[in-house]
Amino acid sequence: MEKLLELSAALTPQLQAQDEDQYDRIALGLVSALNKHPWQDQPPVKSEDLDGIPSADTILFSYFLVAAIEAASAGGKAASRQLPAAVLQGGSLWRHITQFLFDFDPVQARYCGAHLLKVLDCVATGAEQTEDYDLPIQLLRDSILRLDDTSSTLTSTHLTFVRICLLSHACYRSTDILSMPIGHIPISHNETHGPNNICSASQPPWKYLTPATGLTQPVTNRMFMEYYLLGGLCYMTEGRYREALFFLEVVISTPTVPNVASLIMVEAYKKWLLVGLLLDGVARTAPKYASASAMRYIRAIARPYECVVEAFKANNIDRLRQEIEAGLGVWQEDGNYGLMVKVFQSYRRLSIERIGKMFEAVPIAEIAARTSPNPNDIDETKSYIESMILKRQLKAVFISSEKGDMLRFSPEEQKAETSIKHFLGWQIRDLEDLLTQVKDTDHRLGLSKEYIEFLKKLKKIQDDEKRGGSSSKARADDVDEDMMEEY
């Protein structure tokens, strides 16, 4: 134990800054010693055994903490597929788990990723088991940002975090992670770390946030779509429909095998249609970059939803109500009944807003005839418009005339100069971050095996052209086809 503590104590930030090679050798030596440690031949690790290990000694502490968790789980007191009480909030190991996740060193974590991930999974599982989500959400969020402050590499912990936020009905706590653009997906194979050690300060997050280090599980196509679907649900819960629309569109546009459509894509498409109506009342067409063959299957399954969109587009409230009532069982089975109710409610609001863009003043009776479920109830329509004005959804005033009560619409006020500057500044920062990710992706593409093979074929074609080859165009087309097949 003394040797392990000595090796762990040597892994300081100063050593990393001065001699990365030495830091890497010591870290790998410590991991090797811990893997050879006779855990089975010694008494089970208990909570008090962790008191003598600094939680900042991430590699050493993670091994002993996981050993303690496994020992508690092996006690047999917990129900099947349930964590033991010692691991749950308030248990004897909980203070060590929280202290470790608050204090762990992100560089050392690259050498013991599987153990850190196991602790994070225990936190998430325990939160679901006890339905106490507050602290686990904070621990998961902080761990994601401690490993990668840009959150630009999608990991399995991202998916776990968003799912826990949904289960806890605390979707507002997920949006700071969701708002950070994803630029990289962990590769499944063991990629070399380049000329630098894994501890190098110059290593980009996508180099070490991989299954090879254990810091994430392999991110499959399904996990990718689930993350964006759940993220879209979080934004929908918060009423941020523009962000939700983007997340759902990512799911719909995910590349698939020809003539195959995932059920996740179908679910996303149904919600995407409704969110589009909630956002601005527009019946959207499928994204151009979505698979045409997949969209045929998706649209066939989602036909009841498209009927609602068509009724909404026709500006006919009676037809819209009939379509929604006819598909009541479908909306309930899909879990979209509440969303459909909002669509019906938003139809009226958006219809009144459209009237305001076409006319300066309109009789209340005419607005009722166009938008109200009961055109004869003028008082109800007037009350509804008053509620829109109070909620600042509509800028208008009531006036009296010979034709009866009328509604005069007010022009939209100009945004304050400071608000415009703030918005532009945010856009500039976002574009700068995106440009950095694009440059990094271009660099990775230029080093890929497929791209190098493409360059070899292209050079050969150019050499043939210089020699006066007659079939250069056809061969160039072959290269393009090869590239399409590879990707």
Side-chain angles (χ1 to χ4, degrees):
M1 185 64 181
E2 292 182 2
K3 182 180 179 181
L4 295 175
L5 288 169
E6 182 180 346
L7 287 172
S8 183
L11 296 173
T12 63
Q14 293 76 15
L15 178 62
Q16 181 206 6
Q18 296 170 1
D19 191 344
E20 291 179 348
D21 291 336
Q22 179 68 6
Y23 187 101
D24 186 66
R25 283 194 294 270
I26 295 175
L28 292 175
L30 177 58
V31 170
S32 177
L34 287 168
N35 287 333
K36 296 177 181 177
H37 189 71
W39 302 99
Q40 302 294 334
D41 299 333
Q42 295 188 353
V45 179
K46 298 181 180 179
S47 174
E48 51 268 24
D49 297 328
L50 297 169
D51 292 330
I53 306 174
S55 58
D57 288 4
T58 302
I59 299 175
L60 182 61
F61 194 92
S62 68
Y63 271 79
F64 275 83
L65 178 58
V66 169
I69 292 173
E70 292 177 347
S73 301
K77 294 182 180 180
S80 177
R81 299 183 180 180
Q82 297 277 306
L83 291 176
V87 183
L88 302 176
Q89 297 187 49
S92 59
L93 292 175
W94 181 248
R95 64 184 179 90
H96 296 294
I97 291 173
T98 55
Q99 186 178 3
F100 170 67
L101 292 180
F102 278 130
D103 295 342
F104 77 84
D105 180 82
V107 177
Q108 289 192 39
R110 303 175 193 179
Y111 294 88
C112 58
H115 290 73
L116 173 60
L117 187 60
K118 185 175 181 64
V119 175
L120 291 171
D121 288 342
C122 282
V123 168
T125 303
E128 293 185 55
Q129 185 174 326
T130 61
E131 297 185 355
D132 190 348
Y133 298 99
D134 187 53
L135 185 55
I137 288 176
Q138 181 182 350
L139 293 172
L140 291 169
R141 174 194 173 278
D142 291 351
S143 297
I144 290 172
L145 296 178
R146 187 185 290 266
L147 293 170
D148 175 13
D149 59 359
T150 67
S151 188
S152 60
T153 301
L154 182 63
T155 68
S156 54
T157 306
H158 281 72
L159 180 57
T160 301
F161 169 73
V162 176
R163 181 169 53 82
I164 292 297
C165 288
L166 271 172
L167 288 173
S168 64
H169 304 289
C171 294
Y172 68 94
R173 300 183 66 179
S174 69
T175 53
D176 55 346
I177 294 294
L178 293 173
S179 63
M180 297 182 179
I182 296 295
H184 307 282
I185 307 298
I187 53 176
S188 57
H189 60 277
N190 188 359
E191 185 181 76
T192 59
H193 301 291
N196 300 320
N197 297 310
I198 192 175
C199 64
S200 174
S202 63
Q203 287 283 8
W206 57 265
K207 280 284 190 177
Y208 56 80
L209 288 174
T210 66
T213 62
L215 286 170
T216 177
Q217 298 173 4
V219 176
T220 63
N221 185 272
R222 179 182 178 85
M223 291 172 65
F224 174 84
M225 290 191 290
E226 283 182 351
Y227 172 75
Y228 277 94
L229 176 60
L230 297 182
L233 291 175
C234 286
Y235 276 127
M236 288 163 57
T237 303
E238 292 301 298
R240 297 173 61 174
Y241 296 123
R242 191 163 301 282
E243 291 92 338
L245 196 71
F246 168 75
F247 269 63
L248 297 172
E249 193 165 299
V250 170
V251 181
I252 299 168
S253 308
T254 302
T256 62
V257 177
N259 298 318
V260 173
S262 167
L263 289 177
I264 298 177
M265 297 174 71
V266 175
E267 180 65 22
Y269 181 71
K270 293 174 180 178
K271 288 179 168 57
W272 179 77
L273 288 174
L274 300 182
V275 169
L277 297 179
L278 288 173
L279 183 62
D280 47 27
V282 173
R284 285 174 165 77
T285 56
K288 293 181 179 179
Y289 37 85
S291 169
S293 61
M295 286 307 304
R296 284 196 296 270
Y297 293 101
I298 293 172
R299 294 188 63 185
I301 299 174
R303 181 56 188 164
Y305 289 84
E306 293 196 335
C307 290
V308 171
V309 173
E310 292 168 2
F312 198 105
K313 184 179 179 181
N315 200 22
N316 187 323
I317 191 169
D318 291 330
R319 180 183 168 190
L320 178 63
R321 182 173 57 249
Q322 291 170 4
E323 291 288 355
I324 291 176
E325 290 175 351
L328 183 61
V330 176
W331 325 139
Q332 291 176 336
E333 184 178 351
D334 293 344
N336 290 328
Y337 175 75
L339 197 58
M340 195 63 74
V341 170
K342 288 184 178 181
V343 166
F344 185 75
Q345 294 172 344
S346 70
Y347 170 84
R348 193 176 188 184
R349 174 179 58 82
L350 292 169
S351 296
I352 294 174
E353 290 177 358
R354 282 196 293 266
I355 293 173
K357 293 177 182 178
M358 294 185 291
F359 305 98
E360 290 186 0
V362 181
I364 302 297
E366 186 173 342
I367 295 177
R370 292 190 180 193
T371 66
S372 176
N374 185 1
N376 298 319
D377 194 344
I378 308 299
D379 291 336
E380 189 276 335
T381 299
K382 188 174 181 179
S383 176
Y384 179 79
I385 294 173
E386 285 177 344
S387 69
M388 288 183 64
I389 295 173
L390 290 174
K391 294 176 182 177
R392 297 184 179 180
Q393 295 175 340
L394 183 70
K395 288 185 176 295
V397 293
F398 292 103
I399 59 176
S400 298
S401 69
E402 296 177 356
K403 298 180 180 180
D405 289 340
M406 299 186 68
L407 186 69
R408 178 176 291 279
F409 297 93
S410 304
E412 290 288 335
E413 296 179 358
Q414 294 290 331
K415 286 187 176 181
E417 184 177 352
T418 54
S419 298
I420 295 175
K421 286 183 178 179
H422 177 75
F423 176 75
L424 291 176
W426 176 82
Q427 290 280 22
I428 290 171
R429 289 191 297 271
D430 198 35
L431 287 173
E432 287 175 347
D433 292 340
L434 183 60
L435 183 60
T436 301
Q437 299 294 337
V438 170
K439 288 180 179 178
D440 194 20
T441 303
D442 285 344
H443 176 70
R444 294 178 69 187
L445 177 62
L447 298 178
S448 67
K449 177 182 176 182
E450 293 83 1
Y451 187 70
I452 293 172
E453 291 295 328
F454 167 73
L455 291 179
K456 288 180 180 178
K457 293 180 181 179
L458 192 60
K459 185 178 184 304
K460 187 174 181 181
I461 290 173
Q462 291 172 345
D463 292 341
D464 289 345
E465 287 179 345
K466 291 179 181 179
R467 291 194 294 268
S470 59
S471 60
S472 59
K473 183 180 184 304
R475 297 182 64 180
D477 291 339
D478 291 341
V479 171
D480 290 339
E481 291 177 3
D482 290 343
M483 290 295 292
M484 290 298 292
E485 290 176 0
E486 289 168 356
Y487 289 94

